Amino acid sequence: MTNIRKRALVEFASHKPQRFHVEERPVSEFFGENVFDLEKMKRYLSVEAYKAVVDAIELGEKIDRNLADQIASGMKSWAVKMGATHYTHWFHPLTDATAEKHEAFIDPLEKGGVFENFKGSTLIQQEPDASSFPNGGLRNTFEARGYTAWDPGSPAFIIDQTLCIPTVFVAYTGESLDQKTPLLKSIQAVDKAAVAICRMFDSNVSKVNTMLGIEQEYFIVDEAFYRARPDLMICNRTLIGHTAAKDQQLEDHYFGAIPNRVMAFMKDFETEAYKLGILLKTRHNEVAPGQFEFAPIYGEANISVDQNLMMMIIMKKIAKKHKLKVLFHEKPFAGVNGSGKHCNWSLVTNTGVNLLSPGKTPRTNLQFLSFFAAVIRGVYEHHSLLMSSVASLSNMYRLGGGEAPPAVMSIFIGETLTKLVESIEKLTSKNLTSISDKEVKMRSKLHIVNQIPEILPDNTDRNRTSTFAFTGNRFEFRAVGSSCNVASSMFILNGVVAEQLVRFKELVDREMRNGLSQDKAMMKIIRQFLVESRDIRFEGNGYSAEWQAEAEKRGLRGIKNAPDAFKEYISDAAVKMFESQGILSAREAEARFEVLNEIYVKKLQIEARVLGDLTTNHLIPTAITFQNALVKNVQGIKELFPDEFSDLCATQLRLIKKISGYVNHLHNDVHNIVEARRVANRIEDVAEKAKSYYETVFPHIESIRTVADKLEMVVDDELWPLPKYRELLFFR
Ligand code: ADP
Ligand code: MG
């Protein structure tokens, strides 16, 4: 048997460019054809049923069970016509993956034969046997039931002849076992708090939507190489592998021409995405070789999250057709950039106003500043929780790497807004106590806003090193990992903002009761919020060592490791925020904390096992084979030149020793990692166990890699068993 790398190289070399079916219709003709959207509902539902869905979406009203039957029937007619044979409640358990259990539409007829059946009760609720989803103790074994319930806010869609119905997933007790439930609750919390403020400006505002645009980075590798790397296959990242001589240092990949094979793949998945009603807008090469990005046009957060997860599913499926593999892991390759999922976030009213877009008039600017200040204040208050929301084993390999956002939160707002913020802080700080004084009145806040009738923050004024950046009309949270379900970060962001919006309104009301005009009261609180959160604002280079030191001085708590970060979920401040905003109960927060720790342990355990296998069964034998060749060579030379051999074989002898050193080191490290696991596995408490894994198992993962990569540099290329970085990262 030749080694698996060689077989993969042969397979790769024999890969012939294929012609794929391309959709010839213009996109506008097939856009959304696989989605049961409002337009289709109009055609398939009675007026009454259609109205019920619209009211559910827009007003959050419950759908009557009778109407649900009508809706289900219409949905089924459409789906069956589209060729669907099955349906599934599609939900987002606490694993970052999506879950689906398919049921056929068919039911038997009494006298033989079948008919397609889909009842309202089935549409609305299911009870999947889902006792093996992570639940953090929320489902005792004696009451392990969980329910999925239809989310009418996100349209049903068809993938692989299966009608997928987006649902929430909750325990028997109503506690959430998924990512969608808290996200929906957080969207409601923001809506309620934001509307209350908006109505102080415009009584027509009845709803504020959380908007989200997700930029998704990902890697692509050839499937043959992927299959030849157990680490990629099982852990989605390379646990070992020396960097290639050339990777991203010439910066020739970013925005470069997209390789043909990748282009064919992109066109293919874009077509499917369009059919699913996903507004894909941009595609390009990312910084690292083999790395790419797509971004759809932003939309309502709930739908954006669902669509992002749908994209991840279809990309994996389509890649297979092209003999490619998509890697969503945050750091599949050491030494080159990792992947994130930038979350572009804003708030938009039902009247069409983006609350984070600086306005043209003083009054709209006052509204903008209210929201702008509340976001900054909220992010400051819970900076550590927000950072923790992105913590995972995989994302920790990426964060703070001098290419990805640092592991500490900071907000970049750009030069224009910095000047504005500074002037707000200055103008009122001295005179705050006597804000109603005549003299101060002249220089009061409205006046400040008057001076700046139109704020035009420069859109190109970008700071890529910032964790959380204001980019003209939205905030962009860049630390979120590429493999995760962003809902877990978004419900926290929504929660912390909602909390401050509520506080903002309370404080403004109090000032008004004390005699200040509405505008002045608002300006006073805006100023207060900005002053309070001054420490979170940072315009410099987030990658620099100086910033790390400075952040610490400012008391900004970065995340040092994932298990430590998870604790933020159950901190008093977090639980207070979750509960007051109706997003999670203390028990639900605790459950998530447990699940996060559990997943961390399991993933690290898997990495350790794979690494043990790679080292013991691939690397050490390869090292010994090569070493044997060297020994033979030395013996041969010794026979030929008995007197001179030690001079002639100096290099070989050094290598032989070096390899022995590496082999011993690897062997010991593998032994130690097994021991460390054994000890850690005995720990009952899952948080303690995660901590132990981090402290005792994790260091070996790194040290094995260091030695394995050195070994790769000395062993005969012919013998090396795993596809190398240059093979994985560069393909045409
Ligand atoms: P860049 O890489 O420069 O940040 P992209 O065009 O790749 O920009 O992605 C920007 C994302 O932000 C897109 O998904 C876009 O639709 C989204 N976006 C633009 N404006 C808003 C907004 N007001 N609110 C939320 N998302 C927005
Ligand atoms: Mg961006």
Side-chain angles (χ1 to χ4, degrees):
M1 190 174 107
T2 52
N3 79 21
I4 47 177
R5 169 161 163 250
K6 279 204 186 140
R7 268 183 288 153
L9 280 165
V10 170
E11 201 178 323
F12 174 73
S14 63
H15 181 88
K16 291 195 186 67
Q18 273 176 284
R19 288 183 64 84
F20 292 96
H21 168 74
V22 274
E23 179 61 66
E24 271 157 17
R25 292 176 291 168
V27 175
S28 55
E29 263 176 43
F30 61 87
F31 186 82
E33 72 179 19
N34 291 343
V35 192
F36 195 57
D37 51 20
L38 287 176
E39 180 254 326
K40 270 162 223 118
M41 283 186 206
K42 232 178 203 159
R43 277 192 279 138
Y44 283 84
L45 303 183
S46 67
V47 176
E48 212 188 354
Y50 175 77
K51 189 175 172 302
V53 181
V54 173
D55 286 352
I57 299 172
E58 284 175 6
L59 311 171
E61 281 178 11
K62 291 237 177 323
I63 291 175
D64 180 89
R65 290 255 162 180
N66 293 332
L67 288 175
D69 271 334
Q70 288 188 31
I71 298 165
S73 162
M75 203 184 262
K76 178 199 70 187
S77 304
W78 167 76
V80 169
K81 205 164 148 198
M82 291 296 293
T85 56
H86 288 66
Y87 64 87
T88 180
H89 273 199
W90 184 73
F91 57 102
H92 314 160
L94 300 175
T95 55
D96 279 344
T98 53
E100 44 193 274
K101 179 190 165 207
H102 298 189
E103 301 272 349
F105 278 121
I106 50 163
D107 266 338
L109 285 164
E110 232 170 74
K111 296 195 171 137
V114 293
F115 75 116
E116 275 101 4
N117 190 15
F118 189 51
K119 291 207 187 74
S121 52
T122 328
L123 163 67
I124 288 188
Q125 184 178 324
Q126 294 264 289
E127 189 190 328
D129 173 22
S131 48
S132 51
F133 287 105
N135 61 74
L138 281 180
R139 303 157 87 225
N140 300 321
T141 32
F142 62 87
E143 192 38 277
R145 267 185 289 171
Y147 295 104
T148 51
W150 178 35
D151 165 22
S154 181
F157 55 93
I158 297 175
I159 289 184
D160 281 348
Q161 293 178 287
T162 303
L163 174 69
C164 302
I165 299 149
T167 57
V168 295
F169 180 40
V170 293
Y172 178 65
T173 49
E175 280 152 330
S176 61
L177 296 170
D178 70 342
Q179 307 285 29
K180 192 191 256 281
T181 309
L183 177 68
L184 290 175
K185 288 179 174 173
S186 75
I187 290 170
Q188 275 175 19
V190 169
D191 176 30
K192 192 165 155 231
V195 165
I197 294 171
C198 290
R199 290 177 73 92
M200 298 176 89
F201 293 94
D202 177 1
S203 60
N204 292 320
V205 175
S206 57
K207 185 162 183 170
V208 171
N209 276 319
T210 305
M211 307 306 279
L212 185 58
I214 306 170
E215 298 162 61
Q216 172 80 55
E217 294 174 333
Y218 60 96
F219 276 85
I220 290 187
V221 291
D222 182 85
E223 198 189 19
F225 292 145
Y226 172 86
R227 275 192 277 103
R229 296 270 325 206
D231 48 358
L232 271 185
M233 265 177 70
I234 296 172
C235 309
N236 294 310
R237 77 174 185 107
T238 55
L239 297 175
I240 55 174
H242 199 283
T243 49
K246 168 188 180 291
D247 43 54
Q248 64 189 41
Q249 63 272 61
L250 297 179
E251 290 161 353
D252 50 357
H253 183 67
Y254 192 53
F255 284 10
I258 298 170
N260 289 344
R261 252 181 102 185
V262 177
M263 195 62 185
F265 159 70
M266 284 179 171
K267 282 184 182 160
D268 222 1
F269 82 65
E270 282 167 357
T271 304
E272 290 312 307
Y274 292 146
K275 287 182 184 169
L276 287 167
I278 302 172
L279 278 158
L280 286 193
K281 190 74 175 170
T282 59
R283 61 177 181 217
H284 61 81
N285 289 359
E286 255 305 323
V287 172
Q291 192 188 27
F292 305 88
E293 177 185 306
F294 73 80
I297 294 179
Y298 70 102
E300 283 178 34
N302 178 32
I303 295 180
S304 289
V305 170
D306 281 358
Q307 292 190 335
N308 177 257
L309 296 167
M310 284 151 72
M311 283 301 299
M312 292 171 80
I313 293 173
I314 57 172
M315 283 168 77
K316 284 186 195 156
K317 282 182 194 283
I318 304 265
K320 199 143 190 61
K321 233 169 79 183
H322 295 257
K323 294 199 164 32
L324 297 171
K325 270 284 168 185
V326 186
L327 304 177
F328 289 113
H329 193 285
E330 283 78 2
K331 193 78 178 178
F333 302 101
V336 298
N337 278 17
S339 301
K341 201 138 50 181
H342 295 180
C343 291
N344 294 268
W345 179 96
S346 66
L347 300 172
V348 174
T349 65
N350 60 308
T351 53
V353 174
N354 176 355
L355 296 167
L356 291 173
S357 192
K360 283 194 194 304
T361 66
R363 272 198 71 76
T364 48
N365 265 339
L366 194 57
Q367 179 168 278
F368 158 72
L369 284 171
S370 306
F371 282 90
F372 180 73
V375 174
I376 294 180
R377 183 66 183 81
V379 171
Y380 170 66
E381 174 98 22
H382 293 285
H383 64 269
S384 197
L385 174 65
L386 263 167
M387 281 314 292
S388 298
S389 79
V390 307
S392 64
L393 177 67
S394 51
N395 205 22
M396 292 312 289
Y397 289 118
R398 161 182 173 253
L399 291 181
E403 36 98 358
V408 61
M409 178 58 86
S410 68
I411 302 181
F412 168 86
I413 59 172
E415 211 186 315
T416 319
L417 282 166
T418 299
K419 276 193 194 135
L420 175 64
V421 165
E422 280 167 0
S423 72
I424 292 172
E425 286 182 334
K426 245 182 263 148
L427 268 167
T428 50
S429 63
K430 282 177 246 144
N431 312 303
L432 247 188
T433 46
S434 52
I435 197 156
S436 53
D437 284 354
K438 258 195 179 159
E439 189 251 350
V440 184
K441 249 184 198 160
M442 286 168 50
R443 303 160 61 197
S444 76
K445 67 280 155 62
L446 242 190
H447 194 64
I448 307 165
V449 190
N450 265 333
Q451 283 173 333
I452 310 140
E454 194 173 356
I455 309 166
L456 282 175
D458 186 355
N459 252 319
T460 58
D461 189 6
R462 294 292 181 92
N463 182 335
R464 298 260 161 209
T465 68
S466 176
T467 319
F468 201 90
F470 183 73
T471 49
N473 59 1
R474 61 189 185 267
F475 281 96
E476 184 174 342
F477 189 13
R478 300 205 182 100
V480 187
S482 51
S483 72
C484 75
N485 179 341
V486 303
S488 49
S489 288
M490 291 301 104
F491 76 67
I492 290 178
L493 176 59
N494 289 343
V496 308
V497 171
E499 185 184 54
Q500 291 304 320
L501 289 174
V502 170
R503 181 170 165 244
F504 182 85
K505 176 80 169 43
E506 279 168 8
L507 292 173
V508 167
D509 285 349
R510 195 169 71 193
E511 293 300 334
M512 285 166 68
R513 278 198 304 275
N514 288 343
L516 279 191
S517 70
Q518 179 179 307
D519 287 356
K520 280 184 187 164
M522 282 189 167
M523 204 58 206
K524 182 173 176 185
I525 306 305
I526 288 168
R527 180 192 170 274
Q528 181 186 332
F529 274 28
L530 293 172
V531 170
E532 284 171 352
S533 58
R534 196 182 282 150
D535 278 342
I536 199 83
R537 295 198 311 267
F538 176 64
E539 300 289 303
N541 179 5
Y543 296 167
S544 68
E546 295 83 57
W547 168 234
Q548 295 305 313
E550 169 67 18
E552 211 164 309
K553 250 195 253 156
R554 294 188 189 185
L556 298 175
R557 278 171 300 134
I559 43 174
K560 298 202 167 61
N561 62 72
D564 229 26
F566 300 151
K567 289 188 196 135
E568 292 293 331
Y569 278 80
I570 48 169
S571 71
D572 290 346
V575 171
K576 185 166 158 255
M577 181 279 287
F578 287 141
E579 289 198 320
S580 69
Q581 299 313 310
I583 296 169
L584 294 176
S585 66
R587 188 146 173 258
E588 288 171 314
E590 174 85 30
R592 261 152 229 269
F593 167 70
E594 292 216 357
V595 170
L596 286 165
N597 279 299
E598 204 176 291
I599 292 177
Y600 181 86
V601 167
K602 286 182 182 160
K603 288 199 169 162
L604 195 48
Q605 186 175 46
I606 293 169
E607 289 200 349
R609 284 179 181 159
V610 173
L611 200 52
D613 165 52
L614 281 178
T615 310
T616 311
N617 306 318
H618 292 67
L619 303 190
I620 294 180
T622 304
I624 292 174
T625 305
F626 180 53
Q627 199 184 36
N628 281 341
L630 292 171
V631 170
K632 245 198 195 138
N633 172 270
V634 172
Q635 283 168 339
I637 294 176
K638 193 174 176 183
E639 259 172 44
L640 288 176
F641 308 103
D643 301 334
E644 294 164 72
F645 97 94
S646 60
D647 269 355
L648 293 174
C649 296
T651 301
Q652 290 90 318
L653 289 168
R654 249 201 322 272
L655 263 177
I656 289 169
K657 278 195 185 157
K658 208 179 213 179
I659 291 171
S660 286
Y662 291 157
V663 166
N664 285 336
H665 191 126
L666 288 174
H667 178 81
N668 289 340
D669 244 345
V670 169
H671 173 79
N672 291 338
I673 208 172
V674 171
E675 273 311 304
R677 265 156 54 206
R678 199 166 283 154
V679 173
N681 288 344
R682 277 194 230 113
I683 302 173
E684 280 276 320
D685 181 89
V686 68
E688 284 301 313
K689 190 189 278 191
K691 185 166 176 268
S692 175
Y693 259 85
Y694 170 71
E695 284 171 357
T696 65
V697 176
F698 184 73
H700 296 296
I701 302 250
E702 300 283 292
S703 72
I704 291 178
R705 180 187 198 122
T706 310
V707 178
D709 292 356
K710 283 184 187 156
L711 184 67
E712 185 185 325
M713 286 294 98
V714 299
V715 168
D716 183 358
D717 185 64
E718 278 283 308
L719 297 175
W720 196 252
L722 304 171
K724 296 190 169 180
Y725 265 33
R726 60 168 187 266
E727 289 144 4
L728 289 163
L729 286 170
F730 297 92
F731 61 89
R732 288 283 171 259

